[in-house]
Amino acid sequence: MKIIFCVDLDAFFASVEESLNPGLKGKPLIIGSSPLEGRGVVSTCNYEARKYGIKSGMSIVKAYRLCPFAVFLPPRLEIYEVVSERIMSFLRSLTSKFEQLSVDEAFLDVTEKVRDWEEAKEFANEIKEFIFKNYGITSSIGISFNKLLAKLACQKCKPNGIKVVDPPNAKEFLKDLRVEELPGIGKQTTKELKRVGIKKVEDIWKFGLKELQRLFGNFGSELYILSQGEGEDDVYERDELKSLGKEITLSEDTLDRITLFSILQILARDVTEYAKHQNLLFKTITLKIKTKNFKVYTRSKTLKTFSDSSQDIFSTCKKLLEEFLKREIPIRLLGIRVSKFCKNSTLKKFWNKKHF
């Protein structure tokens, strides 16, 4: 039986800003475009802002209406990357089995580091204390025997918590989870599930695999597997990165082009930074679209030359999205992924680590 940590840095971008400027602590803080521009979306926000219903992917105008006295700051990705690299290097040093998911989240297999679940909890607390002492950032750690359950446990203990889901308690933990807490289940999907009487994971169990497949097709199979808490338990860093990307689920289905294009800009910017962090140039750009009827569409284009430009990603995906929007199908999720990499030997780190 493996013991796996899911470590998540709480409201990471906002937490870095608070660490740099302690005067921001206790105030609603929103990272994104300026509300004065009248367009754009929320990249992330701190937990004070979330009390007002603000969340990632929401239009900046709506966020301003909900909390006009919040502090609005533009993202400073270069700084966030430096802090992330330092923390991830620390986490990587703790175990031989490490898997970074994003700038603010990682899995650690600590099976060989601890003897039991209680010792695992103590180890997790030591990790949290180190990160907070050195970077002023709180973190949450979910602990379980596979990556799915570790991630779900992490979500349930945010912010600044630790939660253990061991084998004897896994079913009890899953039973009362709301369906929207499962990965990949957004607002509109939740509505569709509630329409047939599925509000919690225990409701999924009542249907069974065949009935879920009849109602939802392939998605029904995915839903059943998620409800059983079945997940991969291999934690590893891939020797050869095949692709990297990011997705944003919208707060509501939309055909609004300003909102959709603003989200594309955020995704393009973030994916570019991820690629630069890996010292990679990319050639193939893929746009992922999920619509209100659960269907997922992907559109790809291969550039003539390798690139590390967010503008190349944005302009390519904007054209692909404009073509798709002719269908007039409301969109609930957008994602961008890049692939076909080559190493960029000419890139140099812009930020000196000693600067922070």
Side-chain angles (χ1 to χ4, degrees):
M1 183 69 65
K2 294 185 177 181
I3 299 180
I4 295 171
F5 286 3
C6 178
V7 181
D8 194 328
L9 307 175
D10 298 328
F12 179 55
F13 292 180
S15 294
V16 172
E17 295 292 351
E18 289 177 352
S19 178
L20 289 169
N21 182 1
L24 294 172
K25 292 182 178 179
K27 299 177 181 179
L29 174 61
I30 298 170
I31 308 297
S33 56
S34 169
L36 298 177
E37 296 176 4
R39 61 178 61 191
V41 297
V42 175
S43 178
T44 189
C45 61
N46 66 0
Y47 286 93
E48 288 297 321
R50 295 180 196 189
K51 293 176 182 178
Y52 296 89
I54 298 168
K55 52 189 174 181
S56 299
M58 176 181 287
S59 78
I60 208 74
V61 173
K62 184 176 181 179
Y64 182 75
R65 286 202 303 264
L66 290 172
C67 191
F69 49 85
V71 178
F72 290 80
L73 292 177
R76 298 192 288 174
L77 292 176
E78 296 92 344
I79 291 178
Y80 309 151
E81 282 285 346
V82 170
V83 181
S84 169
E85 184 175 324
R86 288 183 171 189
I87 295 175
M88 291 300 162
S89 294
F90 161 67
L91 294 175
R92 187 180 283 106
S93 72
L94 299 175
T95 175
S96 60
K97 296 179 180 179
F98 171 87
E99 181 177 338
Q100 183 172 347
L101 299 180
S102 64
V103 292
D104 59 0
E105 189 175 12
F107 287 120
L108 287 74
D109 184 337
V110 299
T111 308
E112 297 179 358
K113 304 285 288 187
V114 297
R115 290 171 292 185
D116 52 36
W117 298 100
E118 188 59 37
E119 196 169 301
K121 190 173 182 179
E122 293 173 3
F123 187 29
N125 194 56
E126 291 173 4
I127 291 172
K128 283 169 50 61
E129 288 179 354
F130 179 91
I131 293 172
F132 185 74
K133 180 180 178 181
N134 287 274
Y135 303 100
I137 295 172
T138 64
S139 56
S140 301
I141 301 181
I143 306 171
S144 194
F145 52 90
N146 67 38
K147 293 194 286 190
L148 171 64
L149 288 172
K151 188 173 179 64
L152 290 171
C154 186
Q155 291 173 354
K156 291 298 285 184
C157 70
K158 291 180 72 68
N160 197 25
I162 296 173
K163 186 168 184 62
V164 176
V165 178
D166 56 10
N169 296 304
K171 286 293 183 183
E172 186 66 24
F173 168 75
L174 286 164
K175 178 173 70 74
D176 293 325
L177 287 181
R178 303 188 310 276
V179 289
E180 58 265 37
E181 294 180 273
L182 296 175
I185 308 295
K187 184 177 178 181
Q188 293 302 316
T189 307
T190 299
K191 286 182 179 179
E192 292 295 324
L193 293 172
K194 287 182 177 179
R195 183 178 58 81
V196 298
I198 298 177
K199 297 179 180 180
K200 296 183 177 182
V201 168
E202 64 177 342
D203 297 325
I204 300 173
W205 298 342
K206 298 172 186 176
F207 279 74
L209 176 58
K210 289 186 178 180
E211 182 64 9
L212 290 169
Q213 289 173 330
R214 185 185 70 80
L215 289 169
F216 302 110
N218 291 335
F219 173 70
S221 301
E222 296 173 15
L223 187 63
Y224 178 81
I225 292 171
L226 286 173
S227 75
Q228 299 300 308
E230 297 177 7
E232 186 182 7
D233 65 359
D234 287 332
V235 174
Y236 60 96
E237 287 195 282
R238 293 154 182 82
D239 293 333
E240 182 180 355
L241 189 65
K242 298 295 184 183
S243 67
L244 54 83
K246 184 177 180 180
E247 300 174 355
I248 291 180
T249 300
L250 284 69
S251 57
E252 56 188 26
D253 297 346
T254 187
L255 283 168
D256 181 70
R257 281 165 165 74
I258 292 177
T259 298
L260 293 171
F261 294 157
S262 295
I263 290 173
L264 282 186
Q265 286 182 319
I266 290 174
L267 291 170
R269 181 193 65 205
D270 289 356
V271 169
T272 301
E273 289 299 324
Y274 296 162
K276 287 181 178 179
H277 182 66
Q278 299 287 338
N279 199 30
L280 294 172
L281 299 172
F282 51 82
K283 202 170 186 182
T284 297
I285 301 167
T286 301
L287 174 68
K288 177 181 176 180
I289 302 167
K290 183 185 285 187
T291 62
K292 64 177 296 183
N293 55 2
F294 305 113
K295 290 188 176 180
V296 176
Y297 301 85
T298 58
R299 301 288 185 269
S300 297
K301 181 178 180 181
T302 299
L303 305 176
K304 292 181 179 179
T305 59
F306 287 99
S307 173
D308 66 349
S309 165
S310 62
Q311 184 57 39
D312 283 345
I313 296 178
F314 174 70
S315 60
T316 298
C317 289
K318 185 172 183 284
K319 290 178 183 177
L320 295 173
L321 181 58
E322 284 175 333
E323 186 64 27
F324 183 86
L325 287 172
K326 294 176 182 178
R327 301 183 179 206
E328 294 294 320
I329 304 174
I331 293 172
R332 71 174 51 175
L333 175 147
L334 285 175
I336 292 177
R337 185 160 291 276
V338 293
S339 56
K340 289 194 176 178
F341 297 122
C342 76
K343 283 285 185 181
N344 184 6
S345 58
T346 64
L347 277 181
K348 296 181 179 179
K349 289 289 183 182
F350 180 76
W351 287 89
N352 184 335
K353 292 183 182 181
K354 295 181 180 178
H355 178 72
F356 183 79

